[in-house]
Amino acid sequence: MARKLKTYQTSLGFFDLAMAAPSMKAVLEAWGADSNLFHQGAAKESDDPDVIAATMAKPGVVLRRPVGTDRPFSEHAELPTDLGGGPTKAARKSKGPKAKKPSSRPVDKAAERKAAHAFEKEQKRRQLEQAKEETARQKDRERRQQAVNKAQAALDKAEQEHAKRAAAIQAEVEALEKRSQAEKARWDKEKERLEATLRRARG
């Protein structure tokens, strides 16, 4: 059974954020918060009828508006234009503490159920998108690993071929050295015999 949705609000960066969700945990995940903003007093459940209506129309979708303004929430809000040190329009309008009117919106069970189902649908869409992104990242990692393995195999094969050729050359060098030594020994012996013959011929 779909859980009843509530509307939550916070401010992150240049935007106020609002979203209809079944729990604080669900909304923190959707906002991408890495800490509990509710415990820190940076987020709250909204009782503003306009904000509730906007989020219930798009449950599970993070809505934004420029921080410090009273513009309506939407999926694609523009950056705030007044980033100076002066008070914002909204701050000037509400200098003193002002009690919010409790929501006079009648409880519409059918609309609540519809919003809860829409939230679950949006949550599943977001999870599917995350799963697709993770699958794409995994495929990219696998492709990179295959390229690394292929390059490593080529390097290993080339090193083995080099070692084989170097060993063959070394064997040839050693054989030539033996032949050189044998030739030197033969020549020394031959030279000694010929010199002896020459000495005898000279008398």
Side-chain angles (χ1 to χ4, degrees):
M1 182 178 169
R3 295 167 64 187
K4 183 180 175 183
L5 302 184
K6 295 178 181 179
T7 294
Y8 300 98
Q9 266 187 264
T10 190
S11 292
L12 286 175
F14 295 116
F15 296 102
D16 291 331
L17 307 181
M19 179 177 160
S23 66
M24 292 178 180
K25 182 182 176 184
V27 82
L28 286 171
E29 285 178 3
W31 286 342
D34 54 6
S35 60
N36 192 325
L37 301 176
F38 293 97
H39 287 174
Q40 297 166 8
K44 63 177 182 177
E45 183 180 342
S46 177
D47 57 3
D48 186 320
D50 294 333
V51 178
I52 292 170
T55 57
M56 289 299 177
K58 292 190 175 181
V61 177
V62 179
L63 302 181
R64 295 174 172 78
R65 73 179 177 190
V67 70
T69 69
D70 53 2
R71 294 184 196 170
F73 280 92
S74 64
E75 281 189 72
H76 308 289
E78 295 180 359
L79 284 168
T81 53
D82 183 9
L83 295 176
T88 62
K89 182 180 174 185
R92 286 195 296 271
K93 280 171 76 177
S94 56
K95 285 187 180 175
K98 179 175 160 189
K100 286 198 171 186
K101 292 187 291 183
S103 174
S104 57
R105 185 171 62 94
V107 177
D108 185 340
K109 295 292 183 186
E112 281 187 355
R113 282 197 299 273
K114 184 178 177 184
H117 285 301
F119 171 83
E120 288 180 357
K121 185 178 178 183
E122 173 63 19
Q123 193 175 43
K124 284 176 184 174
R125 183 198 67 76
R126 194 161 50 237
Q127 288 170 348
L128 184 63
E129 194 173 295
Q130 289 171 347
K132 282 182 180 176
E133 288 173 358
E134 178 54 34
T135 300
R137 284 194 293 269
Q138 181 61 30
K139 283 184 178 176
D140 187 50
R141 284 194 292 270
E142 288 173 1
R143 278 196 298 271
R144 282 202 303 271
Q145 189 58 48
Q146 285 174 358
V148 168
N149 293 345
K150 187 176 178 181
Q152 185 64 51
L155 175 61
D156 292 345
K157 184 178 178 183
E159 283 183 340
Q160 289 170 4
E161 185 65 26
H162 165 69
K164 186 178 175 182
R165 290 184 180 185
I169 291 169
Q170 184 60 32
E172 288 177 10
V173 168
E174 289 174 1
L176 285 171
E177 182 63 28
K178 283 181 182 177
R179 284 176 61 191
S180 175
Q181 289 173 359
E183 175 58 24
K184 184 174 185 300
R186 185 200 67 78
W187 168 242
D188 288 345
K189 190 175 180 181
E190 179 70 8
K191 183 180 177 186
E192 186 179 344
R193 185 183 66 78
L194 292 172
E195 285 178 342
T197 302
L198 178 60
R199 283 195 299 273
R200 282 196 301 273
R202 284 176 177 168

